[in-house]
Structures are given as structure tokens and as C-alpha cells.
Amino acid sequence: MCGILFSISRSDSRNNPHNSRFNRLLSKLQAATSSRGPDAQDIIYTDVQELTLTFCASELRLRGDAFIKQPHTDDTGNILCWNGEVFEGLDVGPDENDGAKLFSSLTNAKDSEEVTRIFGNIEGPYAFLFYQKASRKLFFGRDPLGRRSLLIHYPSELSPYFLLASVSAGLDAGYALEEVSTEHICSLDLSSLVKRDSARPSAIERSIPDDPPRPQSLDDIPPHLSTAVDDLISQLERSVMLRVRDIPRRGTVPGQARVAVFFSGGIDSTMIAFLADRHVAPDEPIDLLNVAFENPRKIAVKVEGNIYGLPKREKKQKLRDPLDYSTVKVTYDVPDRLTGLQEVEELRRLCPKRTWNFLEINVPYEESQNARAAVEALMFPSRTVMDLSLAIALYFAARGVGQIRSHPGAEPQPYTSPARVLLNGLGSDELLGGYGRHRTAFKAAGWQAVIDELQLEIDRIPTRNLGRDDRVISSWGKETRHPFLSLSVVNFLAQLPVHLKLDPRLEAGVGEKLLLRLAARKVGLVEASGRKKRAMQFGSHSARMAPGENDGKGDLSIDTR
């Protein structure tokens, strides 16, 4: 995970006082880019006719043993800014850097088609920009699932420059940012923008089952699901393995955690943590990041009851009167904390040789509000109330500052996670039918509606949360990796018949993500396999923290709240 920034401006922009808006904006973006890659940073300027190309990149070295500085350059003037990881499709040894290896391949590319082919063959989260000096073309793009952030600003009358950035500087009149589409690899010369096809996820298998057998319980795997369960375990384990192996020790010492998991105690994060145990060095802890917020709205309900059912005048009066905190003992026993504590004990039973650092990240209300402006700037151009409640949870979780206990009931000790690779279970609900809308679709129009909904889920993954999450998490100089969103796993699940992945005919806690539940039960994760879906913002209490905020505002802009 690194930071990349590119601009095209008139050659006099850097030193022209009349271009103060551009210079100020570029300075802010350069600072944000540097925070993503604390190991090395550099800026390269290249003049083409009357234009200046500015390449800025930072490096978080998580691959290889050699010192690497970005942007990657060679003697002929080619330049690569790379923000990603190659897990498949390019032979990268444990002591090699994938960015350097990729740059070597790109410099040997003879034409645009070959550049496109190189990116079509690799698998991993990435955003990149590659300047091919001989053709004077800039290639840029994101992986097909949009797992890395890349924002674009097109020239306008008021802001006559072109920008590409993996970061934002928040709301600013100097740009109009949008996420770069994942539909194509883009090629930019000085006069035109040409789009080229890149690799795409497989389409959903559309065969409609005819009253398939219903599993009786999670304890018994039906014959028609047996192979799919084994294949899912194998595919997911390989994806985890590729994402945790060969992480350099830079910033850590032997015996310190290099890998952490965003951990709610749900089936997704627990399965990822369990499989990580198989491939992380046995003498290293794995940090489990569990975040909980002090939520005045929840506390008020606990102390005073649900005032939202009171008559309007009485409710307004209650909301005006501040809660007397002297009568309240603030605790952080939010739903995700309780399930996380239960689930870490299951992991300790199944993997007793591993040190599991269950990191209690407790966020006081005042601290969360003080961080709000920074989080809003990081997540921009995402601007909804729901964006904020999710982003602020990831922001504090990724910071990794909290407390751990040597055993249940022990006194907590301060702890800051040194891990710079953070595993995220996001993606399983989209791929395996884990949302309530999948059950609703089945009730409305049967299996065909579920298939259509699953295809829609895959189609919109790149436009939803991943760029926002990448910007927020990487601000701490850390990288998130998504084992469920490996293209290999995505394509494997997309090609399975729908009834092997979920069964909306079964009760909640069984039918949704049925295949994953059976896989979790098979490896011994009994408690996790039966847990129902719970959104992060509600499990951590990061949503609707101020008294008076109601339940229907998730899609509103934070500017209109």
C-alpha cells in the first residue's frame, strides 16, 4: 500500500503566484500522499511542451528486502507510481518487490495492448499510473473491484489542471473529485483520453434450481454441498495465505504482530483470523482490532428509556436537557465487543499455540467528535451520514491504539498494534447473499430475483465503499487486504449455482451465506458459524451518536444533516 499523486499543469504553475490555488492544493495532497507511505517519498517533474507532469509517490514497504523508493523510474524516462499488491499473475519472489517487478515488465511493453495485457493478467488490489516516455502516454486505472483508491479531477475553467490521487484533502474548491472507473485501463496522451478493457469479475451463474434439498442443520453437510464447502475453504485459505506471507519486518521486531484483523466476532472476520493462523509465523501474535464507541444517544436510552416514543413536546424537552453523566458509568460493552470477546475464546481453543491480542479500542465521544473533520476530509468525496459512521469506525480501528488483557478478567494493559497489514472480511455478504435484501428478493420473485441481486452486488462493488475505506485506513500508514475480494475467490463463487451459496428458505443465521457457515462449522468455528449479520456501524455504536439523531438518515449528506 502506497500513495500516488499525479498532475498535469501549465509549466509556469509551480512558480506562478497567480496559481496559488493549485499550488496550495498540490501541497495538501502531497502531505496526505506521504502519510500513506512512511518508508520513502519522492517527487518527479517532467516537462512536455508547455506542460509539467508532476509524479508524487510514497512507499509502505510490505514486499521484498531491498529499499524501494517511489516513483519507479529508469534511464529512458519511464515512470511508475504503484499503489497495490500483486498476489497472482506475476512471479514475485519472497525477497523481491512487486512494484519493481511490475515496472520491469511494463518498461518492456511494446504498445498499449501489451500494457493492458500485463494488468489483465495480475490479481491483487491496485491503483497505478504509468508514464511511457516513448509514446508520451500515461496509463492509469484501478483493479476491477476497486480495492484501492484512485480519484480523478478533470480540468475546468476555474481549475484548469488534471489530477489523479489516491488521497483527498476533503472539501476544496480547487477540485471536483470522483472515483476512477474500474471498467477500463485508461490511456491519456496530451490531446485525448482512450479507454481500454481490463480484466473483469466473472458473471453470476444464472441457472435456476428446481426445489433443491434443504440442509437440516449446519452440523451435517449435504452431499450436494460437500465439494463446494471444501473448495471454498481451499480458495479462501489460499487468498489469506497470499495476503499474509512475506511481509517485511520493517517497523516490527521478531515476536511482534505483523498482521491484524478487523474483528467483530462475526463469521467473516473470524474465518479470516482462523485461516491466517495457518500461515502467519507461529511465534507472532495476531492482533484482533475491536472498536467500540461511547454513544450518548445509546446511553440516554439506557438511562432514560426510549424517549422517542414520548409526545412531541416532552421529547423535545428531554433532548434539550443534557444528560447528567455523573449518574452514568460509561462502558464499552457494545454488540461487537461482546461477540468479539466470545469469539476470541473460540479461536484460543482451536488455535492454542497462537497469541491472540484482542485489542479493545475504546473511543470516547469527545475524541470521536474531535476526529470528525479529519475523517470527513479523508473519506471525501463520500459525504453521507452512513459514510461517516463507517469511516470513523475504520479510522480508529486502523489506528490500533487500545488495551489488551492476558486472559479474561485480567487488568487491561495499554497496547498499540505494530501491524501494518490489516485483514478485512468485507465482500462475503455481497458474494454469498448475506444481506436481508437477498431474502426479500427471494420472497418477492424466487431464485431468479436472488441471482439478479447477486449480479448487481458484484457490479457495484467497485463504486461502493472500497476507495473510501482505503483512504481512511491508509492515513495511518497501514494497508487493508480483502481475502474475500480476491478475483480468484470472486470468480469461484460467481460461477457456483446460487443454491450452493445461500438458501433463503432457511431461518436467519443459517440460510444467508449458507456455504460459508458450513465451511466455518467444518473447521470448528461452531459459535461463529451461527452468528447473524450485523452492520459495523451498529455493532460498534459509531452510528447516530448525538441525541436526537433518528434512524432514517443514513443516505443523507452530512452537509444537510
Short mmCIF file of all heavy atoms in Angstrom, two decimals, residues 220-250:
data_model
loop_
_atom_site.label_atom_id
_atom_site.label_comp_id
_atom_site.label_asym_id
_atom_site.label_seq_id
_atom_site.Cartn_x
_atom_site.Cartn_y
_atom_site.Cartn_z
N ASP A 220 -24.42 -31.10 9.62
CA ASP A 220 -24.36 -32.13 8.58
C ASP A 220 -24.32 -31.48 7.21
O ASP A 220 -25.27 -30.80 6.81
CB ASP A 220 -25.57 -33.07 8.68
CG ASP A 220 -25.61 -33.80 10.01
OD1 ASP A 220 -24.57 -34.37 10.41
OD2 ASP A 220 -26.68 -33.78 10.67
N ILE A 221 -23.24 -31.70 6.50
CA ILE A 221 -23.09 -31.12 5.16
C ILE A 221 -23.76 -32.04 4.15
O ILE A 221 -23.35 -33.20 4.00
CB ILE A 221 -21.61 -30.93 4.81
CG1 ILE A 221 -20.94 -29.99 5.81
CG2 ILE A 221 -21.47 -30.37 3.38
CD1 ILE A 221 -19.44 -29.83 5.60
N PRO A 222 -24.80 -31.57 3.46
CA PRO A 222 -25.47 -32.40 2.47
C PRO A 222 -24.52 -32.78 1.34
O PRO A 222 -23.59 -32.03 1.02
CB PRO A 222 -26.61 -31.51 1.95
CG PRO A 222 -26.74 -30.42 2.96
CD PRO A 222 -25.39 -30.23 3.56
N PRO A 223 -24.71 -33.94 0.72
CA PRO A 223 -23.80 -34.37 -0.36
C PRO A 223 -23.65 -33.36 -1.47
O PRO A 223 -22.55 -33.18 -2.00
CB PRO A 223 -24.47 -35.67 -0.85
CG PRO A 223 -25.25 -36.17 0.32
CD PRO A 223 -25.74 -34.95 1.03
N HIS A 224 -24.74 -32.64 -1.82
CA HIS A 224 -24.64 -31.72 -2.95
C HIS A 224 -23.83 -30.46 -2.61
O HIS A 224 -23.49 -29.68 -3.51
CB HIS A 224 -26.04 -31.32 -3.44
CG HIS A 224 -26.79 -30.39 -2.54
ND1 HIS A 224 -27.34 -30.79 -1.33
CD2 HIS A 224 -27.07 -29.06 -2.66
CE1 HIS A 224 -27.94 -29.76 -0.77
NE2 HIS A 224 -27.79 -28.70 -1.56
N LEU A 225 -23.51 -30.27 -1.33
CA LEU A 225 -22.74 -29.10 -0.91
C LEU A 225 -21.31 -29.45 -0.49
O LEU A 225 -20.49 -28.56 -0.28
CB LEU A 225 -23.44 -28.40 0.25
CG LEU A 225 -24.64 -27.53 -0.10
CD1 LEU A 225 -25.43 -27.17 1.15
CD2 LEU A 225 -24.19 -26.28 -0.81
N SER A 226 -21.01 -30.73 -0.39
CA SER A 226 -19.73 -31.16 0.17
C SER A 226 -18.54 -30.62 -0.60
O SER A 226 -17.60 -30.05 -0.03
CB SER A 226 -19.68 -32.70 0.22
OG SER A 226 -18.44 -33.12 0.74
N THR A 227 -18.55 -30.78 -1.91
CA THR A 227 -17.41 -30.31 -2.72
C THR A 227 -17.27 -28.80 -2.66
O THR A 227 -16.16 -28.27 -2.54
CB THR A 227 -17.59 -30.76 -4.18
OG1 THR A 227 -17.62 -32.20 -4.23
CG2 THR A 227 -16.43 -30.26 -5.04
N ALA A 228 -18.40 -28.09 -2.73
CA ALA A 228 -18.35 -26.63 -2.69
C ALA A 228 -17.80 -26.12 -1.37
O ALA A 228 -17.05 -25.12 -1.34
CB ALA A 228 -19.74 -26.05 -2.94
N VAL A 229 -18.14 -26.77 -0.26
CA VAL A 229 -17.60 -26.37 1.06
C VAL A 229 -16.09 -26.53 1.08
O VAL A 229 -15.35 -25.63 1.49
CB VAL A 229 -18.26 -27.21 2.18
CG1 VAL A 229 -17.50 -27.02 3.50
CG2 VAL A 229 -19.71 -26.81 2.36
N ASP A 230 -15.60 -27.70 0.63
CA ASP A 230 -14.15 -27.93 0.62
C ASP A 230 -13.44 -26.93 -0.30
O ASP A 230 -12.36 -26.43 0.02
CB ASP A 230 -13.85 -29.36 0.16
CG ASP A 230 -14.28 -30.40 1.19
OD1 ASP A 230 -14.45 -30.03 2.37
OD2 ASP A 230 -14.46 -31.57 0.80
N ASP A 231 -14.05 -26.66 -1.45
CA ASP A 231 -13.43 -25.73 -2.40
C ASP A 231 -13.39 -24.31 -1.84
O ASP A 231 -12.41 -23.58 -2.06
CB ASP A 231 -14.18 -25.75 -3.72
CG ASP A 231 -13.94 -27.03 -4.52
OD1 ASP A 231 -13.01 -27.78 -4.15
OD2 ASP A 231 -14.69 -27.28 -5.47
N LEU A 232 -14.44 -23.91 -1.13
CA LEU A 232 -14.44 -22.57 -0.53
C LEU A 232 -13.33 -22.45 0.51
O LEU A 232 -12.60 -21.45 0.53
CB LEU A 232 -15.79 -22.26 0.11
CG LEU A 232 -15.85 -20.93 0.88
CD1 LEU A 232 -15.53 -19.74 -0.04
CD2 LEU A 232 -17.21 -20.73 1.53
N ILE A 233 -13.19 -23.44 1.36
CA ILE A 233 -12.13 -23.40 2.36
C ILE A 233 -10.77 -23.29 1.67
O ILE A 233 -9.90 -22.50 2.07
CB ILE A 233 -12.18 -24.64 3.27
CG1 ILE A 233 -13.48 -24.65 4.10
CG2 ILE A 233 -10.97 -24.70 4.19
CD1 ILE A 233 -13.71 -25.94 4.86
N SER A 234 -10.56 -24.08 0.62
CA SER A 234 -9.29 -24.07 -0.10
C SER A 234 -9.04 -22.73 -0.78
O SER A 234 -7.94 -22.16 -0.68
CB SER A 234 -9.29 -25.20 -1.14
OG SER A 234 -8.13 -25.17 -1.93
N GLN A 235 -10.05 -22.19 -1.46
CA GLN A 235 -9.90 -20.92 -2.16
C GLN A 235 -9.63 -19.78 -1.18
O GLN A 235 -8.76 -18.93 -1.40
CB GLN A 235 -11.17 -20.62 -2.97
CG GLN A 235 -11.37 -21.49 -4.18
CD GLN A 235 -10.62 -20.99 -5.40
OE1 GLN A 235 -10.10 -19.87 -5.40
NE2 GLN A 235 -10.55 -21.80 -6.44
N LEU A 236 -10.39 -19.75 -0.10
CA LEU A 236 -10.25 -18.66 0.87
C LEU A 236 -8.92 -18.76 1.62
O LEU A 236 -8.26 -17.75 1.87
CB LEU A 236 -11.42 -18.68 1.84
CG LEU A 236 -11.61 -17.45 2.72
CD1 LEU A 236 -11.72 -16.19 1.87
CD2 LEU A 236 -12.86 -17.60 3.59
N GLU A 237 -8.51 -19.99 1.94
CA GLU A 237 -7.23 -20.16 2.62
C GLU A 237 -6.08 -19.69 1.73
O GLU A 237 -5.15 -19.03 2.20
CB GLU A 237 -7.01 -21.61 3.03
CG GLU A 237 -5.68 -21.80 3.75
CD GLU A 237 -5.44 -23.23 4.21
OE1 GLU A 237 -6.36 -24.06 4.10
OE2 GLU A 237 -4.32 -23.51 4.67
N ARG A 238 -6.14 -20.02 0.45
CA ARG A 238 -5.08 -19.58 -0.46
C ARG A 238 -5.05 -18.05 -0.55
O ARG A 238 -3.97 -17.44 -0.56
CB ARG A 238 -5.30 -20.17 -1.85
CG ARG A 238 -4.22 -19.77 -2.86
CD ARG A 238 -4.40 -20.52 -4.17
NE ARG A 238 -3.32 -20.18 -5.09
CZ ARG A 238 -3.34 -19.15 -5.93
NH1 ARG A 238 -4.42 -18.37 -5.96
NH2 ARG A 238 -2.33 -18.91 -6.74
N SER A 239 -6.22 -17.44 -0.59
CA SER A 239 -6.28 -15.99 -0.65
C SER A 239 -5.67 -15.36 0.60
O SER A 239 -4.92 -14.38 0.52
CB SER A 239 -7.73 -15.54 -0.82
OG SER A 239 -7.82 -14.14 -0.93
N VAL A 240 -5.99 -15.91 1.76
CA VAL A 240 -5.41 -15.41 3.01
C VAL A 240 -3.89 -15.60 3.00
O VAL A 240 -3.13 -14.69 3.35
CB VAL A 240 -6.04 -16.10 4.22
CG1 VAL A 240 -5.28 -15.75 5.50
CG2 VAL A 240 -7.51 -15.70 4.36
N MET A 241 -3.46 -16.79 2.58
CA MET A 241 -2.03 -17.09 2.55
C MET A 241 -1.26 -16.07 1.71
O MET A 241 -0.21 -15.55 2.11
CB MET A 241 -1.82 -18.49 2.00
CG MET A 241 -0.35 -18.92 1.89
SD MET A 241 0.37 -18.53 0.27
CE MET A 241 -0.53 -19.65 -0.79
N LEU A 242 -1.80 -15.75 0.52
CA LEU A 242 -1.13 -14.80 -0.36
C LEU A 242 -1.05 -13.41 0.26
O LEU A 242 -0.14 -12.63 -0.06
CB LEU A 242 -1.86 -14.73 -1.70
CG LEU A 242 -1.77 -15.97 -2.59
CD1 LEU A 242 -2.73 -15.86 -3.76
CD2 LEU A 242 -0.34 -16.19 -3.08
N ARG A 243 -1.96 -13.11 1.17
CA ARG A 243 -2.03 -11.76 1.75
C ARG A 243 -1.28 -11.62 3.07
O ARG A 243 -1.13 -10.50 3.56
CB ARG A 243 -3.51 -11.36 1.91
CG ARG A 243 -4.10 -10.95 0.57
CD ARG A 243 -5.59 -11.13 0.44
NE ARG A 243 -6.03 -10.67 -0.88
CZ ARG A 243 -5.87 -11.37 -2.01
NH1 ARG A 243 -5.31 -12.57 -1.98
NH2 ARG A 243 -6.27 -10.87 -3.17
N VAL A 244 -0.80 -12.72 3.63
CA VAL A 244 -0.07 -12.61 4.90
C VAL A 244 1.38 -13.09 4.81
O VAL A 244 2.15 -12.87 5.74
CB VAL A 244 -0.78 -13.38 6.03
CG1 VAL A 244 -2.19 -12.87 6.23
CG2 VAL A 244 -0.78 -14.89 5.79
N ARG A 245 1.75 -13.71 3.70
CA ARG A 245 3.12 -14.21 3.62
C ARG A 245 4.09 -13.11 3.18
O ARG A 245 3.71 -12.13 2.56
CB ARG A 245 3.19 -15.39 2.65
CG ARG A 245 3.03 -15.00 1.19
CD ARG A 245 3.20 -16.20 0.27
NE ARG A 245 3.11 -15.80 -1.13
CZ ARG A 245 3.23 -16.65 -2.14
NH1 ARG A 245 3.43 -17.93 -1.90
NH2 ARG A 245 3.14 -16.21 -3.40
N ASP A 246 5.35 -13.29 3.54
CA ASP A 246 6.45 -12.45 3.06
C ASP A 246 6.28 -10.97 3.41
O ASP A 246 6.69 -10.09 2.66
CB ASP A 246 6.62 -12.59 1.54
CG ASP A 246 6.87 -14.03 1.11
OD1 ASP A 246 7.45 -14.77 1.90
OD2 ASP A 246 6.47 -14.38 -0.02
N ILE A 247 5.68 -10.67 4.56
CA ILE A 247 5.58 -9.27 5.00
C ILE A 247 6.89 -8.88 5.67
O ILE A 247 7.32 -9.53 6.61
CB ILE A 247 4.41 -9.08 5.99
CG1 ILE A 247 3.08 -9.50 5.34
CG2 ILE A 247 4.33 -7.64 6.46
CD1 ILE A 247 1.93 -9.54 6.32
N PRO A 248 7.56 -7.84 5.18
CA PRO A 248 8.84 -7.44 5.80
C PRO A 248 8.65 -7.08 7.26
O PRO A 248 7.58 -6.65 7.69
CB PRO A 248 9.26 -6.21 4.97
CG PRO A 248 8.48 -6.29 3.71
CD PRO A 248 7.19 -6.97 4.06
N ARG A 249 9.73 -7.20 8.02
CA ARG A 249 9.68 -6.89 9.45
C ARG A 249 9.93 -5.41 9.73
O ARG A 249 9.99 -5.01 10.88
CB ARG A 249 10.71 -7.71 10.22
CG ARG A 249 10.36 -9.19 10.30
CD ARG A 249 11.17 -9.89 11.37
NE ARG A 249 10.83 -11.28 11.44
CZ ARG A 249 9.81 -11.77 12.14
NH1 ARG A 249 9.05 -10.93 12.81
NH2 ARG A 249 9.55 -13.06 12.15
N ARG A 250 10.07 -4.62 8.70
CA ARG A 250 10.36 -3.19 8.91
C ARG A 250 9.30 -2.59 9.84
O ARG A 250 8.10 -2.66 9.58
CB ARG A 250 10.37 -2.45 7.59
CG ARG A 250 10.71 -0.98 7.73
CD ARG A 250 10.81 -0.31 6.36
NE ARG A 250 11.09 1.11 6.50
CZ ARG A 250 12.27 1.63 6.70
NH1 ARG A 250 13.32 0.84 6.80
NH2 ARG A 250 12.44 2.94 6.81
#
